Amino acid sequence: MSAPRTARHAAPSKRDPARAGRSPLRPDIQALRALAVALVVLYHAGLPTLTGGYIGVDVFYVISGYLITGHLLREASRGGRIAFGAFYARRIRRLLPAAMVVLVATLVAAYFVVPPLAMPAISADGRSAALFFSNIRFGINGIEYLGNQDPSPFQQYWSLSLEEQFYALWPLLLALVLLLARRSGSLRRYLTITFVAVFVISLAVSYELTGYRQPLAFFLLPSRAWEFALGALVGLLPSTPAWLRERWVAGLLVIGGLAAVLGTAFWLNGDSQFPGVIAVLPAAGTALVILAGPTAPRSVISVLSLRPVQWVGAISYSLYLWHWPLLTIPVVGTGRGLSAPARTGAVIAAVVLAYGTYRLVEQPLRGNPLLSRHRRNTYGFGAVLIVAACAISVVTAGLPTLSAGRSAPVLADPATASQLTATAYVPDNMTPTLRQASGDIPTLYATGCQANFAEETAKGCATADVSSSNIMVLFGDSHAAQWFPALKLIAAARHLKLVTFTKSACPSVSLSVYNKLLVRNYTECTVWRRDAIAKINALHPNTVIVSNYGVYDDGSNGDTQYQSDWGRALATTLAKLGGAAHRYVIADTPHFDYEIPICLSAHLSNTAHCDKPENSVIDPLHRTTEEAVARTAGYNYIDSTQWTCPRGTCDTVQGNVLMYRDQQHLTATYAQRLSGVLGSAMTTTAS
């Protein structure tokens, strides 16, 4: 994110559009930057009570809107137009060197530290950061259910990308307004109308998009532009009102603004509907400080001017860039976070690196005579930095050989669970390969039969023996869909028509769930489930199979209230389904806290590093609750752990087959191999 130069504390004066934000050295703005970066860094470092520290980014956006708009308007007042070339050259010298230094250092460190299979995605994130569209990439990936990844070491670049997009578009908008105003002679009116329009429209987009696709609202410019516009509006105020010239009033506004920022940071959390409308609180608090800072009493400004505060504000840009990779790179692919001492050490290291980057990179290059003498030198320098960063990202994406160099016996369709044998290494004949694992999914996804987040109508896709009048129904979420490859073979062998009703992240149990990816209640799931049950009953199926992911709403091992709620919800669904002749509930599969393919890529010769004891990845209370409810409702319960954890340890490779495509879903290849034992279990339990 940008950290424009600070401004000198000035006496109150009248303002005009061409002089908005004119003071280049204001300690109150520098203090705001220090507060903003401290909130973000401490939030990411896991300070327990600071659950909404991410709002520090919103503080930066309001500051940028205020200072950048003022700078552009002053430039226009002096030269009669906005000098786009000079403006973008200054932005390049200010932002690009530090950003590319941290980006390259992150790529190199990740290459030597993280599991090999994680590098292609990390390198792609690095390229998107270098080309300033990482916010778009993260926004899209944030709603991709199959993109089950660790936080990217480049995730902090989303805000820089968004801000660069603002810098690309905002001068063009101002130039258009200046052109219109030149014809009518009413610059302030046109600017005010424009900024208010951007504020209102963008805030409305933020509200609507947050309730519909929160990651898009969080990461994309259309739902964030109002924060920049708010800063611009503060700079447009025609004069300092009489009431604001009273220093005690200005002091209260500064304190109140800071309190609004801090209070929001401690009040919000990761489940808050953000940005939405609640982002107005920290943004308005920031605007109040900027507005009242010039007339605030010396007692207030002296606190904000303390040398440590100003120092943190000065290094805030580099500190923001450095802290995140230091906190994330050591734990990529492990499913663990850093310990408290390690997080403290990472923050200290980030401060040291930020100061070094500020002194050795930011300051020298910002005013470098060779670069500033001719704009083409700056543009050439920036192009070299971007191309070099992209080239390094391509090189680091290359994968080594991801096998132990030995073959394993081919896993045939086993007749019994006792024939399943774990392989202690990653074989070179493994299927799917580690590279292919994420794409080894049921064909339901490719055919559009797996309902996405937005769908509320249950389609009911038919396969296997589609001419048969005997119908087998599969009903549930993606953990039901993972059994489709096996059930399709079973249905075909038994001359059944298999009809699937599956929806991502939507359990078939009658439970209202909170969707963490959408960051809201999953209302589409409730509507879809109701429609699916009605359509299943209308089919009068011969066989009904229900299966679900078991850890919605933060349900965890030993959570008796959650299991009680789940049991009641499952009983409700089973009671609503018609009386099929054959009825089954398939137990859930293990939930690892790391992605299995990534873990295996770091332990090619010893897969035991990625295996887990059964009770650490399967909640025995959940299994007991679900089985009791199923049997009470007249359903047969099939315990899938006999195949995933046949000896009390949940394996990751059996024979030459990779069992998981991510943290919790079976590969389609492994599910297909289980058609024999699943079919036998269905025959046995039904007899």
Side-chain angles (χ1 to χ4, degrees), residues 371-402:
L371 295 178
S372 58
R373 186 176 299 121
H374 297 292
R375 289 198 298 271
R376 63 175 179 270
N377 294 348
T378 297
Y379 287 124
F381 177 65
V384 168
L385 288 179
I386 292 173
V387 170
C390 289
I392 292 172
S393 75
V394 171
V395 171
T396 55
L399 288 173
T401 300
L402 295 179

Side-chain angles (χ1 to χ4, degrees), residues 431-433 436-438 440-442 482 485 597 652 657-662 664-673:
T431 179
T433 67
Q436 298 166 340
S438 62
D440 196 55
I441 61 178
Q482 70 183 343
T652 52
V657 176
L658 175 63
M659 297 172 62
Y660 300 92
R661 70 175 190 253
D662 51 26
Q664 55 192 264
H665 294 93
L666 300 179
T667 61
T669 301
Y670 184 63
Q672 190 176 59
R673 291 292 199 282

Side-chain angles (χ1 to χ4, degrees), residues 1-5 30 33-34 36-38 40-41 60 64 90-103 129 132 156-157 159-161 163-164 167 310-325 350 353-355 357-358 361-363 366:
M1 68 183 59
S2 170
R5 289 173 296 186
Q30 191 78 317
R33 281 203 295 273
V37 78
V40 173
V41 171
F60 276 107
S64 290
R90 286 192 297 271
R91 292 295 87 201
I92 289 171
R93 291 194 299 271
R94 173 67 185 95
L95 300 175
L96 209 59
M100 295 302 110
V101 165
V102 176
L103 191 151
F132 302 108
Q156 83 281 26
Y157 277 81
S159 60
L160 180 60
S161 295
E163 193 157 352
E164 289 297 332
Y167 292 148
Q310 297 295 299
W311 184 80
V312 172
I315 67 168
S316 59
Y317 176 52
S318 288
L319 179 56
Y320 177 79
L321 292 174
W322 276 115
H323 82 283
W324 185 244
L353 288 169
Y355 179 67
T357 305
Y358 173 74
V361 178
E362 283 191 64
Q363 290 292 86
R366 184 187 305 180

Side-chain angles (χ1 to χ4, degrees), residues 61 93 112 139 157 185 189 214 242 283 382 397 469 535 593 671 674:
Y61 286 163
R93 291 194 299 271
F112 288 104
Y157 277 81
R189 181 164 64 90
Q214 189 270 349
S469 59
K535 288 178 177 175
D593 54 7
L674 296 179

Side-chain angles (χ1 to χ4, degrees), residues 466-678:
V466 295
S467 63
S468 175
S469 59
N470 290 326
I471 298 174
M472 174 190 288
V473 165
L474 174 63
F475 183 28
D477 53 19
S478 62
H479 281 230
Q482 70 183 343
W483 293 108
F484 173 76
L487 291 171
K488 182 178 179 181
L489 292 177
I490 295 169
R494 299 181 182 183
H495 303 289
L496 302 174
K497 177 164 65 175
L498 175 60
V499 183
T500 58
F501 293 88
T502 57
K503 178 176 171 67
S504 293
C506 179
S508 56
V509 303
S510 299
L511 188 73
S512 177
V513 295
Y514 182 88
N515 189 293
K516 290 185 178 181
L517 296 176
L518 299 177
V519 198
R520 61 174 172 82
N521 288 329
Y522 195 7
T523 55
E524 296 90 341
C525 175
T526 302
V527 176
W528 176 89
R529 185 192 303 121
R530 187 184 307 121
D531 188 45
I533 291 174
K535 288 178 177 175
I536 291 171
N537 288 334
L539 289 173
H540 302 291
N542 182 61
T543 303
V544 172
I545 300 166
V546 173
S547 190
N548 295 287
Y549 177 59
V551 196
Y552 286 94
D553 294 337
D554 291 324
S556 58
N557 283 5
D559 187 337
T560 55
Q561 183 59 54
Y562 172 80
Q563 299 306 338
S564 177
D565 293 342
W566 181 274
R568 285 194 298 271
L570 176 60
T572 299
T573 291
L574 298 184
K576 289 178 179 178
L577 293 171
H582 306 291
R583 294 173 286 178
Y584 306 94
V585 172
I586 302 178
D588 195 12
T589 45
H591 315 142
F592 295 85
D593 54 7
Y594 45 81
E595 293 197 44
I596 296 302
I598 290 178
C599 179
L600 289 173
S601 75
H603 302 287
L604 300 174
S605 298
N606 190 356
T607 59
H609 281 283
C610 304
D611 300 340
K612 282 280 192 176
E614 179 180 322
N615 284 351
S616 69
V617 289
I618 295 176
D619 186 353
L621 179 58
H622 180 79
R623 185 168 45 186
T624 301
T625 301
E626 200 168 54
E627 181 173 9
V629 170
R631 296 199 185 282
T632 300
Y635 277 69
N636 299 288
Y637 189 73
I638 299 176
D639 189 353
S640 62
T641 56
Q642 59 187 304
W643 311 312
T644 56
C645 315
R647 285 159 293 278
T649 297
C650 297
D651 308 319
T652 52
V653 181
Q654 287 183 359
N656 72 322
V657 176
L658 175 63
M659 297 172 62
Y660 300 92
R661 70 175 190 253
D662 51 26
Q663 295 171 313
Q664 55 192 264
H665 294 93
L666 300 179
T667 61
T669 301
Y670 184 63
Q672 190 176 59
R673 291 292 199 282
L674 296 179
S675 61
V677 289
L678 178 58

Side-chain angles (χ1 to χ4, degrees), residues 427-481:
D428 55 16
N429 64 334
M430 187 170 72
T431 179
T433 67
L434 294 179
R435 290 183 180 89
Q436 298 166 340
S438 62
D440 196 55
I441 61 178
T443 55
L444 289 173
Y445 292 90
T447 58
C449 292
Q450 175 76 3
N452 60 37
F453 287 157
E455 291 182 75
E456 295 182 335
T457 301
K459 286 186 264 190
C461 292
T463 187
D465 189 349
V466 295
S467 63
S468 175
S469 59
N470 290 326
I471 298 174
M472 174 190 288
V473 165
L474 174 63
F475 183 28
D477 53 19
S478 62
H479 281 230

